[in-house]
Amino acid sequence: MGLQPLEFSDCYLDSPWFRERVRAHEAELEKTNKFIKELLKDGKNLIAATKNLSAAQRKFAHSLRDFKFEFIGDAETDDERYIDASLHEFSNFLKNLEEQREILALSVTETLIKPLERFRKEQLGAVKEEKKKFDKETEKNYSLLEKHLNLSAKKKELQLQEADNQVEQNRKHFYELSLEYVCKLQEIQERKKFECVEPVLSFFQGLFTFYHQGYELAKDFNHYKMALQINIQNTRNRFEGTRSEVEELMNKIRRNPQEHKRANHFTMEGYLYVQEKRPAPFGSSWVKHYCMYRKETKKFSMIPFEHRSGGKIGDAELFVLAYCTKRNADTIDRRFCFDLEASDRPGVPVTMQAFSEEDRKLWMEALDGKEAVSIILKIFFYSAQLDKIGFTIIKKCISAVETRGINDQGLYRVVGVSSKVQRLLSLLMDSKTCNEVDLENSVDWEVKTITSAMKQYLRSLPEPLMTYELHGDFIVPAKSGSPESRVSAVHFLVHKLPEKNREMLEILVKHLANVSKHAKKNLMTVANLGVVFGPTLMRPQEETVAAIMDLKFQNIVVEILIENHEKIFKTLPDATFPEPISMSVSPPNAPPRQSRRQGQRTKRPLAVYNLCLELDDGKISPREDTPTGSMDSLSSQSPTPAFSSSPPGLLDGNDLIMSSGDLAGWTTDLVAHRKARAVYPCEAEHSSELSFQIGAIFEDVQFSREPGWLEGTLNGKRGLIPQNYVQFL
């Protein structure tokens, strides 16, 4: 479980749990800061060691260059000339190598040390400064509030109004600072993923350039390097999109916090001061509590919490509310007060003090007090529907885009002028004028206006095309699982959509797949289209920071739809999802075979890849080339290798085909909690796989739902292992 998102609406509640989440984010950033400082220290030691090695290598090269073999006689033989010249060539080789090493040392400084130092000082340092301001303003706000609440109600009205204005201005300033601090905390948590990794990637690029003799190693690493570059770029793109969404939400809440309260099971919650009476002559004291009330059950709970006491949460008190009455100023020397009475303590009222008159009115309304305030609900009406006109609009827009602008750079990213987009939408959504609008031939409507109108129409639907009901179900497979299981899950869920939704989605995704085929010209790759259409097709029901953090997973779902649209929309999902497993079992020490599933490749031992050879009836012959392509295409192919050894007493080496139902009971008895030893080295090609060397021992080995793969634990990490790389112990 990662860090919990910090919701802007919680800034106004400033609850104990909000403070706990803020402290968790601060602790994570402090850990990142320590990691960067350690990395910088080691990087500087590396530069110093490189300089020492360069000096020693330069001296050694000079010694080789200055030494000359003397010959006897008046001429040298060819052999002597070659021997004499070899030392000079060695010297030149070392000199060139030393020059490259100096470039490497400079590269470490420029690509690793300086960017990390800049990130630590500018970004993490800025967060520390924001934290100081936030803590200082917190202390100032609540100190001023306590002082204000202690004002006597008998003071002049003008004095009270001036004090109220001062507190209100200070509170607004505190909330402004709190919102900005929360935004900065979450921004830096997302930013660090590429700001810290990108310099490391640049450093390794320089390292590979220097080590010419490590060329093969660099080539083996190249697929990971390319994938990492793509991941960083995608993360950066999603970060930019997420940041703009977060800032927009922050501004919405800043303008009207009451309209963006988070939906929860409490009717009202927030801080109140509770009067605690003491024996004479001590009078009474006012203690701040975080209070929560649920109207359906009439349960009122309150927890003492004081920010200045280290943030320790006190013991909660819970009672059932009997009634609530307002306290007038002439009955108590404090403002904004009201009384509560618990059903189990009749005649013993508890006096509460709110932060303001508006705050008291909200509490009175929630508690069914004498001055309840009605809430006006805003009703929004949508004209966009999945009806005949809706399908006509989308088809007309798609046809125009594919006819006029399929190769336009930044298609669907470049937005049209808002007024033109609205005018076009009004014409298209009117049944009288829809058919008269000519999008394919008219110069009145630019391609960016058409694409913006289409996106706006989809966003205006009463609920997203992929429905609120299935939103969470679509997100789950995008967060985990193998590429094949993700496709199967999305395939299954698409066919649970209402018929019109699925039909519209198919039309749109088919079009997006066509757009991605022209990515060399329009620059709209599948990943870019996912960024654009993820929020459009899968907008969440509630607008929160947590929902915005899920944007990247929405993008992944859209990418899966585009890359697998033929399978997803043209075929029915297996009724027994997840689909049955087919597995081939080979005799002991049999060479790996091609998977029985068409289109998938068998993961071979790394040694076989490096030698480019494979065994065939005892003879050595050239092996076919390793499949090429992008990392996306490789990772989407799920390897299904065969067993390297048959379990004794169970199999005689014959091939078996098993369904998932047959396999479940058999595999549990066969491998549950067993150990296995690696017989080949393996380099992980996906985050769900394990990397290991020959002889590695795996604990708690079990069959995976992925055909031909096992799950096991190595050095505390659990992941997938190819079956034909291990031998059971």
Side-chain angles (χ1 to χ4, degrees), residues 7-73:
E7 299 296 346
F8 292 124
S9 56
D10 285 345
C11 293
Y12 292 85
L13 292 174
D14 199 22
S15 68
W17 303 278
F18 167 73
R19 290 285 178 156
E20 288 291 332
R21 290 193 290 271
V22 168
R23 280 194 288 272
H25 278 259
E26 292 169 347
E28 172 60 23
L29 291 182
E30 184 60 29
K31 187 173 71 173
T32 302
N33 186 46
K34 290 180 180 179
F35 160 75
I36 293 176
K37 288 176 70 175
E38 191 68 25
L39 202 61
L40 290 173
K41 177 184 175 183
D42 294 338
K44 291 175 182 177
N45 290 338
L46 176 61
I47 293 174
T50 301
K51 289 180 178 179
N52 291 336
L53 180 59
S54 295
Q57 187 169 283
R58 200 160 37 236
K59 187 175 183 304
F60 186 72
H62 289 164
S63 297
L64 289 176
R65 184 193 61 193
D66 296 340
F67 185 79
K68 183 176 177 63
F69 289 109
E70 290 295 341
F71 61 92
I72 298 174

Side-chain angles (χ1 to χ4, degrees), residues 3 6 21-37 119-120 123-128 130-131 181-193 196:
L3 293 172
L6 301 174
R21 290 193 290 271
V22 168
R23 280 194 288 272
H25 278 259
E26 292 169 347
E28 172 60 23
L29 291 182
E30 184 60 29
K31 187 173 71 173
T32 302
N33 186 46
K34 290 180 180 179
F35 160 75
I36 293 176
K37 288 176 70 175
F119 175 77
R120 190 177 72 86
Q123 299 296 333
L124 296 180
V127 173
K128 286 186 176 181
E130 291 289 336
K131 181 183 185 314
Y181 182 53
V182 163
C183 187
K184 186 67 176 177
L185 275 178
Q186 299 192 120
E187 177 184 328
I188 202 70
Q189 295 289 7
E190 292 293 302
R191 183 187 289 274
K192 70 180 182 183
K193 296 175 185 175
C196 293

Side-chain angles (χ1 to χ4, degrees), residues 144 148 151 157-173 335-336:
L144 185 60
H148 178 64
L151 285 176
E157 184 63 26
L158 183 60
Q159 290 179 309
L160 293 175
Q161 287 180 358
E162 288 178 354
D164 288 352
N165 292 336
Q166 182 183 4
V167 169
E168 186 60 28
Q169 289 177 0
N170 187 75
R171 184 187 302 172
K172 287 182 179 178
H173 180 65
R335 298 187 299 158
F336 321 135

Side-chain angles (χ1 to χ4, degrees), residues 648-675:
L650 289 176
L651 302 172
D652 58 4
N654 296 324
D655 288 349
L656 298 177
I657 303 297
M658 298 186 176
S659 69
S660 57
D662 297 331
L663 187 64
W666 179 74
T667 55
T668 301
D669 295 335
L670 175 62
V671 296
H673 310 299
R674 289 191 61 181
K675 292 184 179 182

